[in-house]
Amino acid sequence: MSIRQPGPKRWLVLMAVMLAFLPVVLDMTILHVAVPTLTQALAASNTQVLWIIDIYPLLMAGLLVPMGTLADRVGNRRILLTGLTVFGLASALAAFAPSAPMLIAARMLLALGGAMIMPCVLGIIRRTFEDPAERGLALGLWGTVGAAGAAVGPLIGGALLGHFWWGSVFLVNVPVMLIVLPTCWILLPRREEIAPGHWAIGQALLLILGMIATVYAIKAGSGAKQPLPVVLLVLALGAVLLSVFVRLQLRSPEPMLDLSLFSRPAIVAGIIMAVVASGSLAGVELTLAQELQYVLGKTPLQAGLFMIPIMAAAALGGPVAGWLSARFGLRPVACLSLAVSAGALAGLAVTDFRAPGPIVPVLLAVLGLALSIGLTASSIAIMGAADASEAGAAGSLEATGYELGSGLGITLFGVFMSVVFERHLVLPEGVPEALADRASRSIGDVYIAARQLGSDPGAAMISAGKAAFSATHSVLLTTAAILMSLLTVLVLFLLSQTRPAAGRP
């Protein structure tokens, strides 16, 4: 399938799909500053909070490839408009969810809508812009909209929580959809070439269930502290389902996911960059949001304002990455951006947030800019290594990398945070065993448990929780810096195996 718009129409198409992408990325970050408020309002456990946050990107990661294939079968425009409708309805349901399980269910429906939107956006951009230089610019602008949405997400969330209840961070999507949906309906081309073949729903279910089972095993093993036999059984189930899916893809004449794309080093490098960079960004944002509100006592709006440098700088990274890649080549730009990200994370790990001075905003801005350049470089690597006929599959893979990275980043950061927090937490004497067990799970659980104690014991418990979380945040950011350094070396190796032409926009 090929979508070509002569003259300036292609830029109108780009505007339409960027508007469609905006609410999806907005929903990824607007919730971060709402976590403390939401946790207290719903009395959600640490495990429920992690599921509320990351069921959205994790389920979306499993749905992206099936939805991308479905879009090839029935048309990108139809799937995109359907996804926008589902996303708007799910936002309203999430806003009025009466409990944590109901909110998790609404977030699952949000993931379905988002999974319909994402691959269509990237696929349309690839097919619309055949010229490599224009494609690099278009992907840079797309990245800017994504980063801008992420930038205003925490700020909008903080402002809403200052005046309304926690559900307003979801309800805000509804008026956004009322603007985006008719805009896309008017601007997107109505005539599309439809790819032949059937949509294998069985293969889609294998992929979705396999990914969810695997990630649940990670969460249950550490975060939820399930028995080891249960963890191993669920992990084995996930591995078997994913293995069967891969075998079907290799044998099928019409595979849902073209695994031959993984034979191209540039695509592999781009996917790894997308997973690690987006995972680090999501994990760092979640850690900072809790540090600022639970430990430093900032309001949600103040927390959103504090994180503006990382998101505002990220909004500049898209077009900068496109220009730099065209000027100097993809490999040095990608590797340098990752190395700078590692340095910024290491700097934040040893900084005292209680007396930030100018160094913290500068480090946050450097981190946001570098990670944004790295993410856009991953887009250029993936889409530049794919032919126009492979745009749907490549777009699905890239979007899967982003969503899987965000979900795994939040999951692994959350699990690691829980383990490190428990080891650093020193509770005052005389705390009942049941309350001590709950308080050891997370800083949010410390506040919930402290409510059940008297004023002095409760204050002592909160003070102990703040000290433990400050130590936890340093360990988490140091670990993220080490992972980013290792990623720099890996990407340098993979892109050195790629012909220069394949890596340039």
Side-chain angles (χ1 to χ4, degrees):
M1 180 174 62
S2 177
I3 299 177
R4 296 188 181 185
Q5 297 297 322
K9 274 192 174 182
R10 63 190 183 279
W11 300 106
L12 293 177
V13 171
L14 177 64
M15 183 183 74
V17 296
M18 288 193 304
L19 286 173
F21 177 63
L22 180 61
V24 180
V25 72
L26 190 70
D27 205 62
M28 291 177 188
T29 61
I30 197 172
L31 190 59
H32 288 175
V33 296
V35 167
T37 304
L38 183 152
T39 300
Q40 306 301 312
L42 298 180
S45 68
N46 185 51
T47 302
Q48 288 176 326
V49 169
L50 290 179
W51 275 117
I52 289 170
I53 297 171
D54 61 20
I55 191 62
Y56 174 77
L58 289 175
L59 183 57
M60 194 189 297
L63 287 166
L64 279 166
V65 171
M67 290 299 108
T69 306
L70 182 62
D72 287 338
R73 301 290 185 268
V74 304
N76 282 281
R77 184 177 187 272
R78 182 180 299 178
I79 294 299
L80 185 63
L81 294 177
T82 302
L84 291 170
T85 303
V86 171
F87 198 90
L89 293 174
S91 297
L93 293 175
F96 298 102
S99 64
M102 289 298 294
L103 181 55
I104 293 171
R107 291 278 285 172
M108 293 174 70
L109 192 59
L110 276 169
L112 174 61
M116 291 180 173
I117 296 169
M118 287 284 283
C120 295
V121 169
L122 286 167
I124 289 173
I125 290 176
R126 174 61 182 89
R127 295 183 181 101
T128 302
F129 294 91
E130 297 292 337
D131 179 71
E134 282 196 345
R135 187 191 313 132
L137 176 59
L139 288 171
L141 293 172
W142 166 79
T144 298
V145 169
V152 300
L155 186 58
I156 291 176
L160 289 171
L161 290 172
H163 298 86
F164 306 101
W165 90 116
W166 61 265
S168 60
V169 301
F170 296 106
L171 197 61
V172 71
N173 289 331
V174 176
V176 173
M177 284 298 157
L178 292 178
I179 297 173
V180 172
L181 191 57
T183 301
C184 289
W185 186 83
I186 293 171
L187 292 178
L188 291 183
R190 288 170 169 74
R191 303 183 66 178
E192 297 181 81
E193 296 179 19
I194 306 301
H198 68 285
W199 188 64
I201 188 172
Q203 295 181 23
L205 290 175
L206 281 173
L207 177 60
I208 295 166
L209 295 177
M211 294 187 73
I212 293 296
T214 302
V215 174
Y216 177 78
I218 298 173
K219 296 168 68 67
S222 298
K225 302 179 181 178
Q226 292 292 328
L228 183 60
V230 174
V231 173
L232 294 177
L233 181 62
V234 176
L235 183 62
L237 174 63
V240 168
L241 291 173
L242 292 176
S243 298
V244 173
F245 174 79
V246 170
R247 181 171 297 182
L248 288 175
Q249 303 315 293
L250 294 174
R251 293 182 176 181
S252 174
E254 296 178 356
M256 176 170 290
L257 176 59
D258 184 6
L259 297 179
S260 67
L261 291 172
F262 289 100
S263 64
R264 304 173 196 179
I267 290 181
V268 174
I271 292 173
I272 293 175
M273 288 172 63
V275 169
V276 177
S278 61
S280 297
L281 186 59
V284 167
E285 287 173 4
L286 180 61
T287 303
L288 290 180
Q290 296 187 65
E291 171 92 9
L292 293 169
Q293 294 179 71
Y294 280 131
V295 178
L296 302 184
K298 292 184 180 295
T299 66
L301 177 58
Q302 289 172 332
L305 290 171
F306 191 95
M307 291 193 290
I308 278 182
I310 188 172
M311 293 304 182
L316 302 175
V320 170
W323 180 82
L324 289 176
S325 297
R327 182 78 170 81
F328 301 105
L330 180 62
R331 184 172 63 177
V333 171
C335 294
L336 184 60
S337 69
L338 296 174
V340 171
S341 299
L345 286 168
L348 289 170
V350 298
T351 302
D352 185 0
F353 278 46
R354 285 167 292 190
I359 185 64
V360 170
V362 170
L363 286 173
L364 289 175
V366 169
L367 178 63
L369 180 64
L371 283 178
S372 178
I373 290 175
L375 288 171
T376 304
S378 73
S379 299
I380 295 171
I382 294 171
M383 304 310 286
D387 297 329
S389 61
E390 302 167 321
S396 296
L397 284 177
E398 181 182 358
T400 300
Y402 288 139
E403 302 310 318
L404 188 59
S406 296
L408 286 178
I410 291 172
T411 297
L412 296 178
F413 264 74
V415 169
F416 190 36
M417 184 188 300
S418 180
V419 172
V420 177
F421 180 80
E422 182 179 8
R423 291 183 178 178
H424 284 86
L425 181 64
V426 181
L427 292 174
E429 297 289 338
V431 176
E433 184 177 350
L435 292 181
D437 180 67
R438 172 147 200 181
S440 66
R441 298 174 189 172
S442 72
I443 183 68
D445 286 297
V446 166
Y447 276 81
I448 293 174
R451 291 178 184 171
Q452 303 179 43
L453 299 174
S455 58
D456 290 340
M461 176 182 282
I462 291 174
S463 178
K466 289 180 177 181
F469 195 87
S470 293
T472 301
H473 125 264
S474 296
V475 174
L476 285 173
L477 296 183
T478 300
T479 304
I482 294 172
L483 290 176
M484 199 66 67
S485 300
L486 295 175
L487 175 63
T488 304
V489 177
L490 179 59
V491 169
L492 176 63
F493 170 76
L494 288 172
L495 292 182
S496 68
Q497 310 299 311
T498 305
R499 291 174 302 174
R504 293 175 183 253

